[in-house]
mmCIF file of all heavy atoms in Angstrom:
data_model
loop_
_atom_site.group_PDB
_atom_site.id
_atom_site.type_symbol
_atom_site.label_atom_id
_atom_site.label_comp_id
_atom_site.label_asym_id
_atom_site.label_seq_id
_atom_site.Cartn_x
_atom_site.Cartn_y
_atom_site.Cartn_z
ATOM 1 N N ARG X 126 118.261 51.697 29.076
ATOM 2 C CA ARG X 126 119.376 52.181 29.884
ATOM 3 C C ARG X 126 119.017 52.037 31.332
ATOM 4 O O ARG X 126 118.022 51.402 31.698
ATOM 5 C CB ARG X 126 119.644 53.629 29.557
ATOM 6 C CG ARG X 126 120.042 53.901 28.095
ATOM 7 C CD ARG X 126 119.929 55.392 27.773
ATOM 8 N NE ARG X 126 118.536 55.771 27.669
ATOM 9 C CZ ARG X 126 118.113 57.014 27.739
ATOM 10 N NH1 ARG X 126 118.978 58.003 27.907
ATOM 11 N NH2 ARG X 126 116.818 57.297 27.634
ATOM 12 N N ASP X 127 119.820 52.614 32.172
ATOM 13 C CA ASP X 127 119.506 52.631 33.602
ATOM 14 C C ASP X 127 118.137 53.259 33.807
ATOM 15 O O ASP X 127 117.837 54.313 33.244
ATOM 16 C CB ASP X 127 120.572 53.413 34.335
ATOM 17 C CG ASP X 127 120.273 53.544 35.814
ATOM 18 O OD1 ASP X 127 120.483 52.551 36.562
ATOM 19 O OD2 ASP X 127 119.755 54.620 36.194
ATOM 20 N N LEU X 128 117.272 52.624 34.629
ATOM 21 C CA LEU X 128 115.936 53.091 34.798
ATOM 22 C C LEU X 128 115.871 54.511 35.375
ATOM 23 O O LEU X 128 115.045 55.318 34.942
ATOM 24 C CB LEU X 128 115.140 52.122 35.722
ATOM 25 C CG LEU X 128 113.686 52.480 35.957
ATOM 26 C CD1 LEU X 128 112.907 52.428 34.629
ATOM 27 C CD2 LEU X 128 113.049 51.565 36.988
ATOM 28 N N GLY X 129 116.778 54.818 36.310
ATOM 29 C CA GLY X 129 116.801 56.160 36.878
ATOM 30 C C GLY X 129 117.084 57.215 35.810
ATOM 31 O O GLY X 129 116.457 58.316 35.812
ATOM 32 N N VAL X 130 117.993 56.895 34.864
ATOM 33 C CA VAL X 130 118.315 57.853 33.787
ATOM 34 C C VAL X 130 117.086 58.007 32.893
ATOM 35 O O VAL X 130 116.752 59.149 32.475
ATOM 36 C CB VAL X 130 119.514 57.335 32.978
ATOM 37 C CG1 VAL X 130 119.755 58.261 31.792
ATOM 38 C CG2 VAL X 130 120.769 57.314 33.847
ATOM 39 N N MET X 131 116.421 56.889 32.600
ATOM 40 C CA MET X 131 115.187 56.967 31.753
ATOM 41 C C MET X 131 114.140 57.821 32.415
ATOM 42 O O MET X 131 113.476 58.655 31.757
ATOM 43 C CB MET X 131 114.660 55.551 31.494
ATOM 44 C CG MET X 131 115.602 54.686 30.667
ATOM 45 S SD MET X 131 115.066 52.967 30.595
ATOM 46 C CE MET X 131 113.511 53.145 29.727
ATOM 47 N N LEU X 132 113.941 57.655 33.720
ATOM 48 C CA LEU X 132 112.931 58.438 34.424
ATOM 49 C C LEU X 132 113.330 59.903 34.537
ATOM 50 O O LEU X 132 112.479 60.780 34.492
ATOM 51 C CB LEU X 132 112.654 57.840 35.781
ATOM 52 C CG LEU X 132 111.922 56.491 35.771
ATOM 53 C CD1 LEU X 132 111.713 55.954 37.198
ATOM 54 C CD2 LEU X 132 110.584 56.566 35.061
ATOM 55 N N ASP X 133 114.630 60.160 34.717
ATOM 56 C CA ASP X 133 115.124 61.536 34.710
ATOM 57 C C ASP X 133 114.729 62.242 33.403
ATOM 58 O O ASP X 133 114.241 63.388 33.425
ATOM 59 C CB ASP X 133 116.618 61.585 34.854
ATOM 60 C CG ASP X 133 117.068 61.468 36.301
ATOM 61 O OD1 ASP X 133 116.310 61.862 37.187
ATOM 62 O OD2 ASP X 133 118.217 61.001 36.555
ATOM 63 N N ASP X 134 114.882 61.556 32.289
ATOM 64 C CA ASP X 134 114.499 62.108 30.987
ATOM 65 C C ASP X 134 113.003 62.393 30.937
ATOM 66 O O ASP X 134 112.569 63.423 30.457
ATOM 67 C CB ASP X 134 114.898 61.159 29.842
ATOM 68 C CG ASP X 134 116.402 61.127 29.642
ATOM 69 O OD1 ASP X 134 117.092 61.998 30.173
ATOM 70 O OD2 ASP X 134 116.872 60.201 28.902
ATOM 71 N N SER X 135 112.226 61.412 31.422
ATOM 72 C CA SER X 135 110.760 61.575 31.432
ATOM 73 C C SER X 135 110.328 62.769 32.242
ATOM 74 O O SER X 135 109.485 63.538 31.820
ATOM 75 C CB SER X 135 110.090 60.272 31.957
ATOM 76 O OG SER X 135 110.322 59.200 31.089
ATOM 77 N N PHE X 136 110.928 62.914 33.445
ATOM 78 C CA PHE X 136 110.508 64.019 34.302
ATOM 79 C C PHE X 136 111.004 65.369 33.793
ATOM 80 O O PHE X 136 110.378 66.382 34.048
ATOM 81 C CB PHE X 136 110.959 63.777 35.751
ATOM 82 C CG PHE X 136 110.099 62.744 36.427
ATOM 83 C CD1 PHE X 136 110.558 61.494 36.717
ATOM 84 C CD2 PHE X 136 108.781 63.035 36.775
ATOM 85 C CE1 PHE X 136 109.785 60.538 37.333
ATOM 86 C CE2 PHE X 136 107.975 62.107 37.399
ATOM 87 C CZ PHE X 136 108.481 60.843 37.674
ATOM 88 N N SER X 137 112.106 65.359 33.035
ATOM 89 C CA SER X 137 112.544 66.605 32.386
ATOM 90 C C SER X 137 111.484 67.043 31.370
ATOM 91 O O SER X 137 111.141 68.236 31.249
ATOM 92 C CB SER X 137 113.884 66.412 31.708
ATOM 93 O OG SER X 137 114.914 66.170 32.659
ATOM 94 N N THR X 138 110.955 66.084 30.638
ATOM 95 C CA THR X 138 109.906 66.361 29.644
ATOM 96 C C THR X 138 108.652 66.850 30.378
ATOM 97 O O THR X 138 107.990 67.801 29.931
ATOM 98 C CB THR X 138 109.575 65.114 28.846
ATOM 99 O OG1 THR X 138 110.744 64.671 28.148
ATOM 100 C CG2 THR X 138 108.468 65.377 27.819
ATOM 101 N N ILE X 139 108.296 66.180 31.480
ATOM 102 C CA ILE X 139 107.078 66.560 32.200
ATOM 103 C C ILE X 139 107.195 67.993 32.725
ATOM 104 O O ILE X 139 106.255 68.775 32.652
ATOM 105 C CB ILE X 139 106.861 65.580 33.396
ATOM 106 C CG1 ILE X 139 106.481 64.197 32.879
ATOM 107 C CG2 ILE X 139 105.811 66.120 34.371
ATOM 108 C CD1 ILE X 139 106.503 63.100 33.919
ATOM 109 N N ARG X 140 108.352 68.384 33.233
ATOM 110 C CA ARG X 140 108.542 69.749 33.747
ATOM 111 C C ARG X 140 108.460 70.750 32.628
ATOM 112 O O ARG X 140 107.918 71.879 32.826
ATOM 113 C CB ARG X 140 109.858 69.862 34.508
ATOM 114 C CG ARG X 140 109.815 69.165 35.878
ATOM 115 C CD ARG X 140 110.985 69.581 36.745
ATOM 116 N NE ARG X 140 110.824 69.023 38.071
ATOM 117 C CZ ARG X 140 111.327 67.861 38.475
ATOM 118 N NH1 ARG X 140 112.009 67.132 37.620
ATOM 119 N NH2 ARG X 140 111.110 67.430 39.697
ATOM 120 N N ARG X 141 108.933 70.378 31.439
ATOM 121 C CA ARG X 141 108.773 71.310 30.302
ATOM 122 C C ARG X 141 107.299 71.510 29.938
ATOM 123 O O ARG X 141 106.863 72.610 29.655
ATOM 124 C CB ARG X 141 109.560 70.791 29.081
ATOM 125 C CG ARG X 141 111.085 70.976 29.187
ATOM 126 C CD ARG X 141 111.736 70.829 27.805
ATOM 127 N NE ARG X 141 111.490 69.492 27.227
ATOM 128 C CZ ARG X 141 112.287 68.457 27.420
ATOM 129 N NH1 ARG X 141 113.334 68.569 28.241
ATOM 130 N NH2 ARG X 141 112.014 67.313 26.852
ATOM 131 N N LEU X 142 106.560 70.418 29.998
ATOM 132 C CA LEU X 142 105.137 70.488 29.688
ATOM 133 C C LEU X 142 104.366 71.290 30.732
ATOM 134 O O LEU X 142 103.308 71.883 30.423
ATOM 135 C CB LEU X 142 104.544 69.078 29.603
ATOM 136 C CG LEU X 142 105.040 68.234 28.419
ATOM 137 C CD1 LEU X 142 104.547 66.779 28.558
ATOM 138 C CD2 LEU X 142 104.595 68.792 27.084
ATOM 139 N N LEU X 143 104.885 71.302 31.955
ATOM 140 C CA LEU X 143 104.218 72.036 33.049
ATOM 141 C C LEU X 143 104.713 73.464 33.173
ATOM 142 O O LEU X 143 104.267 74.206 34.046
ATOM 143 C CB LEU X 143 104.456 71.323 34.378
ATOM 144 C CG LEU X 143 103.780 69.931 34.536
ATOM 145 C CD1 LEU X 143 104.241 69.272 35.839
ATOM 146 C CD2 LEU X 143 102.273 70.043 34.493
ATOM 147 N N GLY X 144 105.628 73.879 32.277
ATOM 148 C CA GLY X 144 106.208 75.210 32.350
ATOM 149 C C GLY X 144 105.145 76.277 32.127
ATOM 150 O O GLY X 144 104.115 76.022 31.562
ATOM 151 N N PRO X 145 105.441 77.488 32.599
ATOM 152 C CA PRO X 145 104.482 78.600 32.447
ATOM 153 C C PRO X 145 104.157 78.861 30.986
ATOM 154 O O PRO X 145 105.061 78.874 30.106
ATOM 155 C CB PRO X 145 105.194 79.786 33.070
ATOM 156 C CG PRO X 145 106.660 79.421 33.140
ATOM 157 C CD PRO X 145 106.699 77.921 33.230
ATOM 158 N N GLY X 146 102.857 79.034 30.706
ATOM 159 C CA GLY X 146 102.432 79.369 29.340
ATOM 160 C C GLY X 146 102.343 78.179 28.366
ATOM 161 O O GLY X 146 101.983 78.391 27.221
ATOM 162 N N THR X 147 102.629 76.957 28.828
ATOM 163 C CA THR X 147 102.620 75.821 27.920
ATOM 164 C C THR X 147 101.210 75.241 27.724
ATOM 165 O O THR X 147 100.830 74.774 26.655
ATOM 166 C CB THR X 147 103.555 74.717 28.353
ATOM 167 O OG1 THR X 147 103.184 74.316 29.686
ATOM 168 C CG2 THR X 147 104.993 75.215 28.374
ATOM 169 N N ARG X 148 100.419 75.182 28.803
ATOM 170 C CA ARG X 148 99.061 74.629 28.786
ATOM 171 C C ARG X 148 99.033 73.203 28.245
ATOM 172 O O ARG X 148 98.214 72.870 27.393
ATOM 173 C CB ARG X 148 98.142 75.527 27.974
ATOM 174 C CG ARG X 148 98.040 76.941 28.480
ATOM 175 C CD ARG X 148 96.953 77.720 27.838
ATOM 176 N NE ARG X 148 96.864 79.030 28.424
ATOM 177 C CZ ARG X 148 95.747 79.749 28.489
ATOM 178 N NH1 ARG X 148 94.626 79.243 28.066
ATOM 179 N NH2 ARG X 148 95.742 80.949 29.042
ATOM 180 N N LYS X 149 99.942 72.393 28.714
ATOM 181 C CA LYS X 149 99.997 71.024 28.252
ATOM 182 C C LYS X 149 99.925 70.040 29.422
ATOM 183 O O LYS X 149 100.560 69.017 29.468
ATOM 184 C CB LYS X 149 101.311 70.791 27.467
ATOM 185 C CG LYS X 149 101.363 71.600 26.176
ATOM 186 C CD LYS X 149 102.644 71.334 25.401
ATOM 187 C CE LYS X 149 102.667 72.148 24.090
ATOM 188 N NZ LYS X 149 103.927 71.918 23.342
ATOM 189 N N ALA X 150 99.065 70.419 30.410
ATOM 190 C CA ALA X 150 98.929 69.563 31.598
ATOM 191 C C ALA X 150 98.418 68.191 31.264
ATOM 192 O O ALA X 150 98.799 67.165 31.885
ATOM 193 C CB ALA X 150 97.989 70.247 32.589
ATOM 194 N N SER X 151 97.526 68.090 30.232
ATOM 195 C CA SER X 151 96.994 66.734 29.907
ATOM 196 C C SER X 151 98.091 65.851 29.361
ATOM 197 O O SER X 151 98.118 64.639 29.618
ATOM 198 C CB SER X 151 95.869 66.892 28.849
ATOM 199 O OG SER X 151 96.354 67.481 27.695
ATOM 200 N N GLN X 152 99.042 66.425 28.582
ATOM 201 C CA GLN X 152 100.162 65.630 28.077
ATOM 202 C C GLN X 152 101.079 65.220 29.210
ATOM 203 O O GLN X 152 101.583 64.096 29.242
ATOM 204 C CB GLN X 152 100.948 66.425 27.027
ATOM 205 C CG GLN X 152 100.178 66.699 25.757
ATOM 206 C CD GLN X 152 100.995 67.473 24.733
ATOM 207 O OE1 GLN X 152 102.182 67.243 24.583
ATOM 208 N NE2 GLN X 152 100.355 68.405 24.071
ATOM 209 N N ALA X 153 101.300 66.147 30.177
ATOM 210 C CA ALA X 153 102.145 65.824 31.325
ATOM 211 C C ALA X 153 101.508 64.715 32.140
ATOM 212 O O ALA X 153 102.181 63.806 32.616
ATOM 213 C CB ALA X 153 102.307 67.074 32.193
#
């Protein structure tokens, strides 16, 4: 799809991984 949309999805995932209490910084 549009690259910007694809990256928006990726960064939404990254922010979830960086959320408080997740401890998934290595995945992010």
Side-chain angles (χ1 to χ4, degrees):
R126 299 165 288 162
D127 176 79
L128 183 63
V130 175
M131 294 172 64
L132 291 178
D133 277 334
D134 289 346
S135 295
F136 284 108
S137 294
T138 301
I139 291 167
R140 286 195 173 91
R141 285 198 299 272
L142 293 172
L143 293 173
T147 58
R148 301 191 177 209
K149 295 181 179 178
S151 60
Q152 293 181 39

